[in-house]
Amino acid sequence: MSRVRRVAKGIGEFLTETVGEAASELVLTVLACALLGGLVLLAYLSWSSSPRLTLAGAGLLSAVLAHGAWVRSRGPDRSRRGRRFTAVTGGAFSVAAATAAFLLVYATECDCL
């Protein structure tokens, strides 16, 4: 009898884990599609409001992310000058890279592209 219980318990754990993984994949995919849709809507509304301001903001954001990538690639800075700006741009680059990776992995699975 204990052998049957062990097998049933193992099957139950397997099914619970499988359903949990499928549900989490679904939630992450829906979240990625919503994030992608929100970014597209933000770009559309920004462009329809003011194309010049949109391009200026995109240029500024690109410069900040490029500086952050440069900061992350060169290693830790030993000087005390500009630490706060360096930390902000490095953090912004890290968040943007993580968001891009998230969208690349999960948004490609949905049919929203």
Side-chain angles (χ1 to χ4, degrees):
M1 197 69 156
S2 66
R3 191 171 184 187
V4 172
R5 282 187 180 173
R6 268 196 319 243
V7 169
K9 185 178 179 182
I11 291 172
E13 288 175 1
F14 172 75
L15 289 175
T16 302
E17 184 178 334
T18 303
V19 168
E21 285 181 9
S24 64
E25 286 286 326
L26 179 67
V27 167
L28 288 174
T29 301
V30 167
L31 183 65
C33 286
L35 178 63
L36 185 62
L39 289 174
V40 168
L41 180 66
L42 179 70
Y44 172 74
L45 292 176
S46 175
W47 185 263
S48 65
S49 173
S50 172
R52 288 182 184 163
L53 192 58
T54 302
L55 290 177
L60 180 64
L61 182 63
S62 296
V64 166
L65 293 179
H67 183 265
W70 178 68
V71 164
R72 291 289 184 220
S73 68
R74 70 182 172 117
D77 189 16
R78 301 286 184 223
S79 70
R80 294 176 89 44
R81 231 178 79 200
R83 273 190 171 170
R84 190 171 296 153
F85 181 71
T86 302
V88 167
T89 60
F93 173 73
S94 297
V95 168
T99 303
F102 174 71
L103 286 175
L104 183 67
V105 170
Y106 287 104
T108 56
E109 292 178 3
C110 70
D111 293 331
C112 59
L113 294 178

